[in-house]
Amino acid sequence: MDIKDIKIFLEINNYRNISTAARALFLTQSTVSRRLSMLEKELNVKLLFRSKGHDTVQLTPAGERFLTIAEQILALSIEVNSLEENNLIEHLSVAVPDSLASYILRDFFKQLSRKNPNLKLEIILLDSIPTYEMVANREVDIGLTNGKAPYPELNSNLVFKEDFVVMRKGNKNSFSQIIHPSELKSNNEIFQFFGSDYNHWHDYWWKPGFAKLRVNLAQLTVEFLNEEEDWTILPESVACALLPEDCYLSRLSDPPPERCCYSVTHKKPRSDRALTIQKFNRSLQVYIKERI
């Protein structure tokens, strides 16, 4: 049975008209009629009622039964033909905060895509807390987060650590001085959340909810540093990348815990993604080792 004849039969059924089906298939009407007759002869049944003088056709009872079979045959044919192509293609979804994706890991994602043309990579900008749940539900394959996963079914592997620094409004050199947290006023803070450990440290020095503004994008954090005493705390990689000419960076004499980036994966990942997840994590380790 030729798959081309199956396609012709299905197209005729779709249009219920042989000449219209022939145009859709870019074939002559005589070719379509001949291939249909060959299929009916091979099956030894009549598939269509064709009235003289009428273009429309109807399925016979045998045609109705064969319709379901033909659709299944076509679906299987498509699946078989795609096996070789799908074996070459890898799919991977990664959830990552903007403060990681847009700065320290931006070049990593570029390199990964360039070096692996068959990798279909989906990058989802997402905060750490909802990322844990998505990885646990296997909605994403990998979560790059600012803390360890709180779920027992997830693995958390440390990728790198870095310091936090203060960015303040003013025209001075980078890291011009060391400042104590008590010197920074709550109502001048542009606050961004960086995980529970950071939050515990932050709330020791400043009352929760007293910040001038709360944002979840580092770029916005910097853009809202408008007045002389405005300040924000950012990971060093983010702060150095975004530092405007009218701002400067300072170390903290009593700093928060280091910003820790973890690769979070399910202990039982999807079988078709397990190897790709391993390769991603190995590539990430190499990139970080070379950069930091």
Side-chain angles (χ1 to χ4, degrees):
M1 189 179 300
D2 195 323
I3 194 66
K4 293 179 181 178
D5 295 339
I6 298 291
K7 292 178 180 179
I8 287 173
F9 168 74
L10 291 173
E11 204 71 7
I12 293 172
N13 174 69
N14 183 43
Y15 290 103
R16 297 298 173 101
N17 186 293
I18 291 179
S19 60
T20 304
R23 287 195 296 271
L25 292 164
F26 299 100
L27 298 172
T28 64
Q29 183 172 340
S30 60
T31 298
V32 169
S33 296
R34 177 172 54 81
R35 297 299 293 255
L36 177 62
S37 297
M38 291 171 60
L39 179 62
E40 289 177 325
K41 185 176 182 180
E42 182 178 0
L43 296 172
N44 198 29
V45 294
K46 198 75 172 173
L47 297 173
L48 297 169
F49 288 122
R50 284 164 283 183
S51 302
K52 289 185 178 181
H54 295 280
D55 290 335
T56 57
V57 296
Q58 290 183 330
L59 293 177
T60 65
E64 294 281 0
R65 294 195 300 272
F66 182 67
L67 177 62
T68 301
I69 298 171
E71 289 172 339
Q72 292 173 346
I73 291 173
L74 181 61
L76 288 172
S77 174
I78 293 172
E79 188 172 345
V80 168
N81 290 334
S82 67
L83 280 177
E84 182 178 354
E85 179 182 354
N86 286 339
N87 282 336
L88 297 174
I89 295 175
E90 297 177 294
H91 296 267
L92 192 71
S93 56
V94 181
V96 55
D98 170 70
S99 60
L100 286 170
S102 297
Y103 304 101
I104 198 165
L105 297 181
R106 179 184 58 190
D107 290 339
F108 167 71
F109 287 124
K110 289 181 179 179
Q111 291 179 17
L112 188 70
S113 181
R114 185 173 64 251
K115 292 179 179 180
N116 301 274
N118 291 326
L119 176 64
K120 304 303 179 184
L121 181 64
E122 180 183 12
I123 301 172
I124 304 166
L125 294 181
L126 194 65
D127 291 338
S128 297
I129 292 176
T131 293
Y132 301 133
E133 185 173 352
M134 292 190 72
V135 178
N137 294 333
R138 297 187 181 87
E139 296 175 76
V140 294
D141 303 308
I142 299 175
L144 298 176
T145 67
N146 288 313
K148 289 184 178 180
Y151 301 136
E153 65 268 34
L154 302 182
N155 287 321
S156 298
N157 295 308
L158 181 65
V159 178
F160 69 88
K161 296 179 180 180
E162 66 174 325
D163 293 332
F164 285 93
V165 295
V166 180
M167 182 184 293
R168 288 188 285 173
K169 190 76 170 178
N171 189 16
K172 296 185 179 181
N173 295 327
S174 297
F175 303 120
S176 59
Q177 59 181 294
I178 296 176
I179 188 170
H180 192 271
S182 61
E183 299 177 61
L184 300 170
K185 299 177 182 179
S186 293
N187 57 3
N188 286 107
E189 180 187 14
I190 312 300
F191 175 82
Q192 185 173 357
F193 178 78
F194 288 106
S196 57
D197 289 343
Y198 173 85
N199 217 43
H200 290 151
W201 171 87
H202 177 276
D203 291 350
Y204 174 82
W205 290 108
W206 303 281
K207 291 182 180 180
F210 277 69
K212 181 178 182 179
L213 192 69
R214 296 174 66 94
V215 299
N216 63 359
L217 288 176
Q219 181 67 54
L220 283 179
T221 303
V222 174
E223 289 181 4
F224 282 107
L225 294 173
N226 296 320
E227 299 178 8
E228 189 66 27
E229 294 188 2
D230 286 350
W231 60 276
T232 188
I233 297 177
L234 294 169
E236 186 173 339
S237 62
V238 178
C240 290
L242 292 176
L243 183 63
E245 292 183 359
D246 58 349
C247 291
Y248 66 101
L249 304 178
S250 301
R251 301 285 184 185
L252 288 154
S253 59
D254 190 344
E258 291 176 301
R259 189 254 197 112
C260 297
C261 171
Y262 290 89
S263 174
V264 176
T265 56
H266 203 287
K267 291 180 178 178
K268 295 181 179 179
R270 288 175 48 177
S271 58
D272 60 328
R273 304 286 176 93
L275 182 59
T276 308
I277 291 171
Q278 292 177 14
K279 291 195 294 184
F280 176 93
N281 281 328
R282 285 198 298 269
S283 298
L284 180 57
Q285 290 171 359
V286 171
Y287 173 82
I288 292 299
K289 187 176 181 180
E290 293 175 347
R291 181 183 177 108
I292 297 179

